[in-house]
Amino acid sequence: MIEFTIWDILRNLLLATRWTIVLSLVSFIGGGLVGLALLFSRLSRRKWMRALAKYYIELFQGTPLLMQLFIAFFGLGLFGIDVPAWLAAGLALILWSAAFLGEIWRGCVEAIAKGQWEASASLGMGRLQQMRYVILPQAMRIAVPPTVGFSVQVIKGTALTSIIGFVELSKAGTVVTNATFQPFTVYGLVALIYFALCWPLSKSSQILERKLNVAHRNH
Amino acid sequence: MNYQFEFGWLFEYYPQIVKGIGITIQLIAVGALAGISLGIVCAWVRALGPAWLKPVVAAYVELIRNTPFLIQLFFIFFGLPSLGLQLSELQAANLAMIVNLGAYSSEIIRAGIQATPKGQFEAGASLAMTPFETFRHVVLVPSLQRIWPALSSQVVIVMLGSAVVSQIAAEDLTFAANFIQSRTFRAFEAYFISTAVYLILAILLRQVLGMVGWFIFPRRAAR
């Protein structure tokens, strides 16, 4: 029987961590773009667009991410496409992140005082100009800490893609466990790698929150 | 798309789904009760507890909040037996949910405790209450009331996250969906139905938690 050293295990896990990072980045950036579209739709003056965004968010926040992954994986297959795991994983994670980011950002836009909307309207600005020049620059400031905080959820969310067969850190953990029969060590290391990825983000989210709050108080 | 949707299997397999729903409800009921209790204890330690215990609880909270639930579950179910702690699928699922919700809820509850006006602690002390009595009789319930909406959302998130416990063969709703799709090859329909059930469960759970809040917190008459 082959003996596996800790270094053998760790090396293989770190190689797989690449795909966790790539998938997280794709999901976060893609989710951000779709989330921005959702935000605009949620703030639209047309009632049906607001309702559409609201139900989208309700649907994706009210169902398990795992189910969304399964439905993306098996649902796309119904169109006769051969769905690779990375496609279903990326698609589901983008749509899922979008729902959360859209809702977070809506809260930030709504935190902007109503007088700002009225003042910019009284200057004859259109809806998009108001957003572009007055509301979003202020809302973005409030939005940074919760957005960074949500990126942690995205990284943890990618762990679920192992279940539909995408090979990233969690899947590698299972594979390595099956080879080495050392679940305690392997899953312990997997948890530590996730921690090393997520903790700096959590911490910086907290620090940013404190910093931006202090700035707010000094107005 | 020439796919014929077929839901006829529902008649044969609905007992599996009902059983799965029962287990999912049981998991979240135990998880919520024990998890929130653990959260209260941890929040007390971090806000008012003995100094030597604070870093221990802080490490626990940070470790859980920054690792995926799936890995926590695998670690408990596959990893702990090598320390001599052998758990059944359901026990492991329950434990993982308690540990997970305990960490998240302690942060939420701590925010509620820290928002308590200082005068409340002083008033308790002036009535010769010990710090613990002040916490128990003066601070705790209003703190929980303050953060109840956030805590409710977290319980719903953990309920949805519990879909993952099917991966260690705990027979929850997702397990039922996996079972049905492996028997009928109707994967899309099986997951579609179970997703709909999760959505209904999430909406119901939110209502139930709202009602619980209505009953456990004192309501002041409108003046």
Side-chain angles (χ1 to χ4, degrees):
Chain A
M1 196 181 136
I2 313 165
E3 285 295 322
F4 295 92
T5 62
I6 293 275
W7 169 240
D8 287 329
I9 295 172
L10 191 61
R11 200 185 54 209
N12 280 298
L13 293 179
L14 284 175
L15 283 174
T17 307
R18 286 180 303 176
W19 299 111
T20 291
I21 295 173
V22 169
L23 185 62
S24 304
L25 284 175
V26 168
S27 313
F28 189 70
I29 294 168
L33 294 176
V34 181
L36 208 58
L38 273 177
L39 172 70
F40 277 97
S41 162
R42 198 83 162 81
L43 298 170
S44 158
R45 249 174 294 194
R46 291 186 193 84
K47 204 174 168 190
W48 65 269
M49 277 183 85
R50 285 203 305 269
L52 192 71
K54 190 177 154 227
Y55 286 123
Y56 175 95
I57 290 170
E58 193 97 328
L59 183 67
F60 278 85
Q61 293 195 349
T63 54
L65 176 59
L66 182 59
M67 284 294 151
Q68 294 163 22
L69 283 164
F70 279 145
I71 287 190
F73 192 54
F74 292 105
L76 283 178
L78 298 187
F79 294 94
I81 317 166
D82 185 25
V83 194
W86 61 264
L87 181 63
L91 186 69
L93 274 167
I94 285 173
L95 296 180
W96 174 79
S97 318
F100 281 86
L101 286 172
E103 191 66 2
I104 292 171
W105 292 341
R106 182 181 70 98
C108 298
V109 167
E110 280 182 357
I112 302 298
K114 216 179 153 208
Q116 301 278 336
W117 286 99
E118 293 166 352
S120 49
S122 75
L123 292 172
M125 286 185 174
R127 189 86 169 164
L128 276 180
Q129 285 176 317
Q130 285 179 302
M131 286 291 267
R132 164 74 185 79
Y133 294 106
V134 180
I135 305 300
L136 286 187
Q138 300 179 68
M140 251 146 67
R141 210 178 145 79
I142 319 174
V144 171
T147 306
V148 174
F150 182 72
S151 65
V152 175
Q153 308 295 326
V154 175
I155 295 178
K156 291 191 292 178
T158 61
L160 296 193
T161 61
S162 64
I163 297 172
I164 58 168
F166 181 74
V167 181
E168 38 65 81
L169 181 49
S170 300
K171 185 76 182 174
T174 309
V175 173
V176 173
T177 302
N178 291 342
T180 60
F181 305 111
Q182 298 176 350
F184 188 84
T185 318
V186 175
Y187 288 124
L189 285 173
V190 170
L192 285 180
I193 296 174
Y194 273 113
F195 185 79
L197 290 176
C198 295
W199 193 68
L201 288 169
S202 300
K203 254 301 168 262
S204 49
S205 164
Q206 278 170 18
I207 293 169
L208 282 167
E209 199 175 334
R210 221 170 296 145
K211 264 199 178 151
L212 295 178
N213 251 335
V214 169
H216 203 70
R217 250 180 249 135
N218 289 346
H219 266 202
Chain B
M1 183 167 131
N2 329 310
Y3 186 81
Q4 292 293 314
F5 289 98
E6 162 67 54
F7 288 98
W9 49 266
L10 260 177
F11 294 103
E12 196 183 335
Y13 287 102
Y14 79 89
Q16 255 86 20
I17 295 186
V18 172
K19 189 180 164 218
I21 294 173
I23 299 219
T24 293
I25 291 175
Q26 183 258 315
L27 281 174
I28 192 59
V30 174
L33 271 177
I36 292 175
S37 310
L38 178 62
I40 291 173
V41 174
C42 291
W44 173 76
V45 169
R46 285 197 83 181
L48 311 159
W52 62 271
L53 209 54
K54 279 182 187 176
V56 179
V57 173
Y60 153 67
V61 170
E62 291 294 315
L63 201 60
I64 296 297
R65 278 163 51 96
N66 288 299
T67 51
F69 180 62
L70 182 67
I71 298 302
Q72 294 160 14
L73 189 69
F74 281 175
F75 187 79
I76 288 174
F77 187 65
F78 298 118
L80 287 190
S82 59
L83 294 187
L85 186 63
Q86 190 101 38
L87 296 166
S88 76
E89 298 85 10
L90 267 186
Q91 287 167 335
N94 263 327
L95 181 62
M97 285 174 76
I98 293 166
V99 167
N100 189 275
L101 185 61
Y104 279 94
S105 62
S106 90
E107 281 295 274
I108 298 172
I109 296 166
R110 186 168 70 123
I113 295 174
Q114 281 170 344
T116 307
K118 216 176 153 204
Q120 303 260 319
F121 290 98
E122 292 166 353
S126 74
L127 291 171
M129 286 177 165
T130 64
F132 184 77
E133 283 171 340
T134 310
F135 174 75
R136 163 72 190 80
H137 296 289
V138 180
V139 175
L140 180 59
V141 172
S143 299
L144 284 178
Q145 187 171 16
R146 227 168 272 140
I147 48 81
W148 192 250
L151 197 57
S152 304
S153 305
Q154 190 60 45
V155 173
V156 173
I157 289 174
V158 170
M159 191 274 280
L160 296 176
S162 79
V164 172
V165 303
S166 56
Q167 291 307 304
I168 58 166
E171 299 181 13
D172 75 328
L173 180 53
T174 309
F175 185 88
N178 286 336
F179 177 81
I180 292 166
Q181 77 99 3
S182 67
R183 288 294 177 91
T184 62
F185 300 106
R186 291 288 169 186
F188 184 77
E189 289 92 327
Y191 292 125
F192 182 80
I193 294 277
S194 46
T195 304
V197 174
Y198 271 114
L199 185 60
I200 295 167
L201 280 179
I203 293 168
L204 284 180
L205 183 58
R206 217 163 279 155
Q207 299 295 323
V208 168
L209 288 167
M211 279 196 292
V212 170
W214 177 259
F215 280 113
I216 61 176
F217 299 122
R219 297 182 291 281
R220 294 186 182 83
R223 258 167 275 171

